[in-house]
């Protein structure tokens, strides 16, 4: 763990990250096609893939309004983004885990385009009270612990860097050829058979007593080069991260 903290500190020292815009502006209205509540028979990030269930909610009242999603589980709010530049969006929400006293541990929202390829998700997890809540220590758990591990990840198409966000410093992970499944973003699935590989980018940030994950998948056909695709993905992730209007309670 000490080595991982050192590695993450070095990431912070050497990364010259551009400041996120944080305004979350959209050039046209977003229309929510439907709101669905998802559930899993087991943990999405457990040892085996659990079955996924989904039901349409007939009323969006109290959850969707004025282009904003309000979590009924943990009180946070975020602007609903366009996905793959599509203003017609399907919203899936889920309560993943509770403590024995009923306190919600983890919830998420998933934004999908009404047709086309792409996904954006926000996962919010309450940190354990019996463990350190230091941002550096928490984020170090998601970073490779040594230079050799970094190199191995790079060979697999996975890279890491520290970035600044409106919510504070974050660890960013990029995954080439990331594929969507109903267990996104908990499970990393890759599809190397794609003609133009997709790109998955995630940011982990600690705010108060919570760890927030912002993850997206973008279509490789959306940009002519990998560098352009990376830049596009980071702009979309800037908007998603900057769109959080109210942090979890």
């Amino acid at each position: 763990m000490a080595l991982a903290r050192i590695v993450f500190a070095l990431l912070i020292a050497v990364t010259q990250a551009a400041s996120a815009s944080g305004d979350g502006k959209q050039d046209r209205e977003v229309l929510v096609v439907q709101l669905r509540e998802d559930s899993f028979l087991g943990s999405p990030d457990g040892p085996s893939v659990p079955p996924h269930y989904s039901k349409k909610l007939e009323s969006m009242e109290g959850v969707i309004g004025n282009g904003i999603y309000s979590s009924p589980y943990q009180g946070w709010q975020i602007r609903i983004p366009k996905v793959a530049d599509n203003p017609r969006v399907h919203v899936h929400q889920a309560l993943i885990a509770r403590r024995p006293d009923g306190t919600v541990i983890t919830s998420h929202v998933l934004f999908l385009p009404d047709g086309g390829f792409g996904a954006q998700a926000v996962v919010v997890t309450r940190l354990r009270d019996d463990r350190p809540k230091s941002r550096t220590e928490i984020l170090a758990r998601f970073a490779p612990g040594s230079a050799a591990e970094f190199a191995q990840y790079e060979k697999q198409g996975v890279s890491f860097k520290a970035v600044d966000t409106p919510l504070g410093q974050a660890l960013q992970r990029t995954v080439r050829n990331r594929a969507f499944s109903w267990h996104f973003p908990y499970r990393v699935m890759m599809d190397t058979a794609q003609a133009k590989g997709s790109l998955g980018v995630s940011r982990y940030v600690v705010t108060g007593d919570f760890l927030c994950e912002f993850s997206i998948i973008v279509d490789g056909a959306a940009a002519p080069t990998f560098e352009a695709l990376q830049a596009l993905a980071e702009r979309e992730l800037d908007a998603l991260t900057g769109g959080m209007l109210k942090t979890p309670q």
Side-chain angles (χ1 to χ4, degrees):
M1 178 59 71
L3 180 56
R5 287 198 298 269
I6 293 172
V7 171
F8 184 69
L10 289 173
L11 274 172
I12 295 172
V14 302
T15 300
Q16 301 297 319
S19 297
S21 64
D23 57 14
K25 290 181 180 177
Q26 300 173 17
D27 59 8
R28 61 185 186 271
E29 290 282 329
V30 170
L31 172 66
V32 175
V33 178
Q34 61 178 328
L35 171 64
R36 303 188 70 90
E37 188 165 63
D38 293 359
S39 61
F40 301 86
L41 188 60
S43 173
D45 59 352
S48 60
V49 179
H52 161 262
Y53 304 95
S54 181
K55 68 176 181 180
K56 181 180 178 180
L57 300 182
E58 297 304 324
S59 174
M60 301 185 190
E61 186 175 355
V63 179
I64 305 291
N66 298 319
I68 297 170
Y69 169 80
S70 300
S71 170
Y73 312 118
Q74 291 173 300
W76 45 275
Q77 295 181 327
I78 191 165
R79 291 189 183 94
I80 300 170
K82 292 182 294 183
V83 183
D85 204 36
N86 190 335
R88 293 175 57 85
V89 178
H90 294 252
V91 178
H92 292 249
Q93 63 180 14
L95 191 163
I96 301 301
R98 290 182 184 270
R99 290 178 177 174
D101 65 2
T103 302
V104 174
I105 300 173
T106 300
S107 68
H108 77 239
V109 65
L110 172 66
F111 303 111
L112 299 175
D114 185 36
F117 180 89
Q120 300 194 17
V122 180
V123 180
V124 173
T125 299
R126 180 180 289 274
L127 299 172
R128 290 177 54 158
D129 294 330
D130 60 346
R131 291 185 180 178
K133 297 181 180 180
S134 158
R135 179 188 64 202
T136 301
E137 291 191 24
I138 296 295
L139 297 184
R141 299 175 191 172
F142 295 90
S146 67
E149 287 186 22
F150 270 104
Q152 186 61 36
Y153 274 110
E154 290 278 359
K155 289 180 181 179
Q156 298 171 358
V158 182
S159 60
F160 299 83
K161 69 177 181 180
V163 299
D164 290 324
T165 78
L167 299 175
Q169 203 153 64
L171 176 67
Q172 178 172 298
R173 180 188 66 194
T174 299
V175 180
R176 292 194 186 214
N177 302 310
R178 185 161 188 182
F180 174 77
S181 79
W182 286 112
H183 306 94
F184 169 80
Y186 302 95
R187 295 174 180 272
V188 176
M189 303 178 68
M190 302 168 75
D191 180 7
T192 57
Q194 301 176 71
K196 289 199 71 172
S198 61
L199 193 68
V201 186
S202 302
R203 287 177 183 164
Y204 301 90
V205 60
V206 175
T207 174
D209 291 335
F210 296 87
L211 171 69
C212 297
E213 174 185 351
F214 301 85
S215 286
I216 68 171
I217 299 177
V218 294
D219 190 349
T225 65
F226 173 78
E227 291 73 21
L229 186 63
Q230 177 82 40
L232 171 65
E234 291 188 357
R235 286 195 301 271
E236 291 194 7
L237 199 49
D238 284 345
L240 182 65
T241 309
M244 181 165 271
L245 305 174
K246 183 180 179 182
T247 54
Q249 306 296 310

